[in-house]
Amino acid sequence: MRIVRFASPSGMSFGVLDGDGQVAQIEGHPFGTISFTGQRFAQADVRLLSPILPSKVVCVGKNYADHVKEMNTGDAPERPLLFLKPSTSVIGPGDAIRIPSGSTNVHHEVELAVVIGARGARNLTPEQVPGSVFGYTIGNDVTERDMQKADGQWTRAKGFDSFCPLGPWIETDLRGVGKDPADLEITCTVDGEPRQAGRTSQLLFDVPTLVSYISQVMTLLPGDVVLTGTPAGVGPIRPGQRVECAIEGLGSLTNSVSGADTASTAGSAR
């Protein structure tokens, strides 16, 4: 099932996107039993927003060996390397990634995003993790490299408004469409130029390990998002460019890039 959050003339709602490009509106949030309102919209007549508004986005650094090598910042970590992105960094498909004033070294990072379900996650074993996963979507862990290097810790470099595109939807049953979350192709292009390519089978720490580890540190609430790491090929993006992140079975997430002073308020609903 593909869960979307969308804006229509009647406001913002959650819905289910079917194979015919129709969005069926649901009551309230998508956790638990889904109840339909009876309203349906053509996808072309609504604006898809970020499919979820998490209380926090928990990210994992250096989780692909080839990315560790290209960053030239030491060996792969012995345990998951965690950091946070604020909820205010989240934007949706089609929204603009805004380059901070004076910055010339902002990079894209395509990532598999795990969405936590109604149970939440606290002190889980890896075997218990699937019961707490609501579904999967695509994330882009946008990063200001100069600030990342200068600060030593990554909050400022990763935390700007618009630095966490998510979408276009949450797929709640990848295996049901013949895909295995443990082995999905993951790519990123900029203006059509291939930049990143990898597979989730190359993760140093897989999804059950990551969610279990994080849940020993902090409670993951329903709707929280875990970004699992990025493959090699990260690189700069500039105003006027178009970034497309794609993951097998999850579609593609496309965002324009703008300067800070040219950003519109279109992404304000995230």
Side-chain angles (χ1 to χ4, degrees):
M1 185 181 296
R2 288 180 170 177
I3 300 293
V4 296
R5 195 172 66 91
F6 66 96
S8 70
S10 57
M12 289 182 285
S13 308
F14 284 101
V16 174
L17 178 64
D18 65 25
D20 296 324
Q22 294 286 312
V23 177
Q25 187 182 52
I26 65 175
E27 297 277 5
H29 63 71
F31 302 122
T33 302
I34 288 180
S35 176
F36 292 96
T37 67
Q39 281 198 290
R40 296 177 64 86
F41 303 87
Q43 184 179 346
D45 294 335
V46 301
R47 182 167 72 90
L48 296 187
L49 308 171
S50 62
I52 200 70
L53 289 176
S55 76
K56 56 186 172 292
V57 180
V58 186
C59 308
V60 182
K62 300 183 179 182
N63 203 26
Y64 284 81
D66 54 0
H67 178 56
V68 174
K69 289 180 181 178
E70 76 173 347
M71 295 304 292
N72 195 27
T73 55
D75 296 334
E78 295 181 359
R79 60 186 64 84
L81 176 61
L82 305 182
F83 60 95
L84 296 173
K85 292 175 88 82
S87 61
T88 47
S89 66
V90 173
I91 58 173
D95 292 335
I97 299 166
R98 303 193 298 276
I99 305 297
S101 179
S103 175
T104 59
N105 200 17
V106 173
H107 285 205
H108 57 80
E109 294 190 12
V110 61
E111 310 205 5
L112 176 67
V114 183
V115 182
I116 301 300
R119 295 183 187 179
R122 176 64 179 162
N123 290 328
L124 299 184
T125 65
E127 293 73 24
Q128 292 172 320
V129 165
S132 286
V133 172
F134 179 64
Y136 299 87
T137 189
I138 303 169
N140 186 353
D141 175 22
V142 181
T143 305
E144 213 293 350
R145 292 288 180 222
D146 292 338
M147 295 179 188
Q148 184 181 27
K149 182 178 180 180
D151 292 356
Q153 55 82 28
W154 302 349
T155 301
R156 183 169 65 122
K158 303 275 192 176
F160 283 93
D161 290 357
S162 81
F163 270 28
C164 189
L166 294 175
W169 46 69
I170 301 167
E171 175 56 68
T172 63
D173 186 15
L174 270 171
R175 294 186 185 277
V177 294
K179 303 299 180 182
D180 182 354
D183 188 22
L184 302 172
E185 183 181 32
I186 177 170
T187 63
C188 179
T189 64
V190 177
D191 288 343
E193 174 195 354
R195 291 280 189 89
Q196 294 181 267
R199 302 194 69 86
T200 58
S201 57
Q202 298 168 328
L203 288 168
L204 298 176
F205 302 101
D206 63 15
V207 169
T209 300
L210 292 176
V211 175
S212 172
Y213 183 84
I214 295 165
S215 78
Q216 311 299 319
V217 179
M218 67 189 79
T219 299
L220 292 169
L221 300 174
D224 280 352
V225 170
V226 175
L227 294 186
T228 56
T230 196
V234 300
I237 53 176
R238 298 180 178 85
Q241 292 186 315
R242 190 171 182 84
V243 183
E244 182 175 3
C245 298
I247 299 181
E248 185 180 3
L250 297 175
S252 62
L253 169 66
T254 302
N255 296 91
S256 60
V257 185
S258 73
D261 56 352
T262 61
S264 73
T265 58
S268 60
R270 294 185 286 163

